[in-house]
Amino acid sequence: MKVADVFHFRNAEIKALHLTWIAFFITFYVWFNMAPLASSMLKSVDWLTADDLRLFAICNVALTIPARIIVGMALDRFGPRRVFSVLMVLMAIPALVFAFGNTMTQLLVSRLVLSSIGASFVVGIHMTAMWFKPKDIGFAEGFYAGWGNFGSAAAAISLPTIALHMYGGEDGWRWAIAQSAIVMAAYGVYYWFAITDGPAGTVHRKPRKAVALEVSSWGDMVKLILWTIPLVGVLGILVWRIQNMGYLSATGAAICYAVIFAIVCYQIIQILRVNVPILKKGVPEDDKYPFNSVAALNSTYFANFGAELAVVSMLPMFFEETWSLSATAAGLIAASFAFVNLVARPMGGLVSDRMGNRRFVMLSYMLGISVGFALMGLMNSNWPLIIAVGITVFTSFFVQGAEGATFGIIPSIKRRLTGQISGMAGAYGNMGAVVYLTIFTSVTPTQFFYIIAAGAFISWVLCIMWLKEPESGFADEYQVSSVDLQIEEEERRRQAVATTS
């Protein structure tokens, strides 16, 4: 696939790519529609405080982690077209409640529910993988994610103008948020009728059980449990932060911790229920896949996407305080980190497609991240500003490229499990953001840059040990196992029986 191919709008797969990144763009636009309007909200609602908005910011990412896991399971069962459409329509409801909420409870709960919209990322990853062949998937996934992620920047740029000049008045921010929610719901309905799950005649291969990821050995099952526990357990950090901010009593926190513990136990039980019968029966050789590769990619997305979300939250203040810049100038310089996403992420996927070795590309990007953040840790006010900006862009290039390279590999690991594997890696990205942002509250910016550089280096080491080159990474078609064909035959028989009865 060439870059120029994205302008061939009449090609079915290119049309699907554009329809899907637009859906992703809209969901991220809605997801991040609060921060640009924060000052307007404070002026409009007299009982709202800056601490309340900080709490909402935490709630805004709280349920994204479990939502990405659950949506990943739903993808393998219902397909990305249905899941994406339903997600956009349903999430418009909490967005509207937040827009017109008049109590603290309404705003808090609606923002908490709306955080589930962050799962939209893994839906589009799955849809793109169904339309593009393994040899082209890197660039396609990178293009989808790069332009979709731009939705958050577009919200920051356009929403204040819409609120002030299109609607105006004290409630302008409410109508601006409501407008984005209505557009999202309308596009969700359109998406249902405008696209299919892959080209006509494509077989949507699904796992037998969608409640937990299938593995290939007893050892892999233990590893899956160990990698699942932190995903839910990290919500305990959020509970701790909310309690420390005084919004949750000790009793309420204890209840939350008990619920988190119960969910972890439930997830472990589901993993055992799905995999013990499969492993007792024996997994055919052609159906086995390396879970170590999944674990390695979980770590890369923790280290690259987690670092990106954390860094964009602190970078403006870092430039403002270190070089005594105005808030506007610091914001514009810091925005360079996000804008690189438009080019670097598709570039990461394209390089992954062209190099003929996706593992080598992944390793190169992760090492580049480690070096980049280490250099940022050395920056201080004695450095020329232009050099500091150059290093920031250099680091961002590797961060975004690594994100594209991560999802250039995932669809080739195990075709029928793409949704669940994408969901798990995506959830680890959000988990990285929660962990890094929590660490940032107790260290200096210099120490923070060294810590995320160390995180990227650890992921690089894990990739050296665990990540394997996908067998069908550059093939014309994804690898189909005997179990895939057996499931397909069982589904065909089930549909035949349903038709005749």
Side-chain angles (χ1 to χ4, degrees), residues 227-251:
W227 279 87
T228 299
I229 292 173
L231 276 180
V232 184
V234 74
L235 294 177
I237 295 178
L238 292 170
V239 173
W240 171 73
R241 285 186 65 183
I242 293 173
Q243 184 187 6
N244 269 12
M245 291 173 68
Y247 291 97
L248 192 63
S249 66
T251 304

Side-chain angles (χ1 to χ4, degrees), residues 14 61-62 104 164 181 193 235 257 274 312 334 350 353 372 380 398 409 456 459:
I14 298 300
V61 297
M104 181 68 181
L164 288 172
F193 296 104
L235 294 177
Y257 290 133
V274 167
V312 296
L350 189 64
D353 290 342
N380 57 53
F398 280 93
I409 296 176
S459 175

Side-chain angles (χ1 to χ4, degrees), residues 267-287:
Q267 282 294 115
I268 293 173
I269 291 170
Q270 294 303 320
I271 290 171
L272 296 174
R273 287 182 62 188
V274 167
N275 285 292
V276 169
I278 292 174
L279 296 175
K280 280 185 175 179
K281 187 179 177 182
V283 180
E285 279 300 320
D286 68 344
D287 196 53

Side-chain angles (χ1 to χ4, degrees), residues 199-456:
T202 300
V203 178
H204 180 207
R205 304 192 187 284
K206 300 182 288 187
R208 285 195 174 92
K209 302 287 185 182
V211 293
L213 186 65
E214 297 174 23
V215 293
S216 306
S217 69
W218 295 102
D220 284 352
M221 187 178 72
V222 173
K223 294 172 188 171
L224 174 59
I225 291 173
L226 293 177
W227 279 87
T228 299
I229 292 173
L231 276 180
V232 184
V234 74
L235 294 177
I237 295 178
L238 292 170
V239 173
W240 171 73
R241 285 186 65 183
I242 293 173
Q243 184 187 6
N244 269 12
M245 291 173 68
Y247 291 97
L248 192 63
S249 66
T251 304
I255 293 173
C256 291
Y257 290 133
V259 171
I260 292 170
F261 179 75
I263 294 173
V264 170
C265 293
Y266 175 79
Q267 282 294 115
I268 293 173
I269 291 170
Q270 294 303 320
I271 290 171
L272 296 174
R273 287 182 62 188
V274 167
N275 285 292
V276 169
I278 292 174
L279 296 175
K280 280 185 175 179
K281 187 179 177 182
V283 180
E285 279 300 320
D286 68 344
D287 196 53
K288 291 182 178 179
Y289 74 95
F291 181 80
N292 280 350
S293 289
V294 178
L297 295 175
N298 288 343
S299 77
T300 62
Y301 216 59
F302 179 105
N304 53 51
F305 186 68
E308 179 192 348
L309 288 185
V311 167
V312 296
S313 302
M314 53 76 69
L315 209 53
M317 187 177 295
F318 171 72
F319 273 101
E320 183 178 351
E321 294 181 350
T322 305
W323 281 274
S324 301
L325 300 176
S326 68
T328 304
L332 286 173
I333 292 173
S336 62
F337 196 92
F339 273 99
V340 172
N341 200 20
L342 286 177
V343 176
R345 190 145 178 166
M347 183 69 72
L350 189 64
V351 172
S352 180
D353 290 342
R354 293 286 186 272
M355 286 291 292
N357 189 327
R358 298 191 190 280
R359 180 177 181 273
F360 174 78
V361 172
M362 190 77 256
L363 286 168
S364 302
Y365 272 120
M366 294 311 297
L367 190 60
I369 294 174
S370 185
V371 172
F373 279 128
L375 290 174
M376 290 180 72
L378 295 172
M379 293 191 309
N380 57 53
S381 58
N382 295 324
W383 283 47
L385 182 59
I386 187 68
I387 300 294
V389 173
I391 290 176
T392 301
V393 171
F394 166 84
T395 307
S396 176
F397 179 84
F398 280 93
V399 170
Q400 323 287 354
E403 293 169 6
T406 298
F407 281 89
I409 296 176
I410 284 177
S412 299
I413 293 180
K414 191 67 186 171
R415 176 64 162 166
R416 72 170 187 273
L417 305 176
T418 298
Q420 293 179 49
I421 296 174
S422 298
M424 192 173 195
Y428 260 93
N430 274 77
M431 179 180 161
V434 171
V435 171
Y436 283 145
L437 283 172
T438 303
I439 291 173
F440 180 65
T441 59
S442 55
V443 299
T444 66
T446 297
Q447 292 170 330
F448 180 67
F449 288 133
Y450 285 143
I451 289 171
I452 54 181

Side-chain angles (χ1 to χ4, degrees), residues 120-182:
S120 61
F121 168 68
V122 297
V123 188
I125 286 291
H126 192 82
M127 177 62 94
T128 307
M130 297 192 77
W131 277 94
F132 288 86
K133 299 181 185 303
K135 61 182 181 181
D136 298 323
I137 195 64
F139 177 70
E141 299 282 26
F143 185 87
Y144 155 79
W147 282 88
N149 268 321
F150 188 63
S152 59
I157 294 169
S158 64
L159 278 173
T161 302
I162 293 173
L164 288 172
H165 301 291
M166 183 178 291
Y167 294 107
E170 290 186 351
D171 290 336
W173 67 271
R174 294 182 184 274
W175 290 106
I177 290 177
Q179 175 182 291
S180 66
I182 292 170

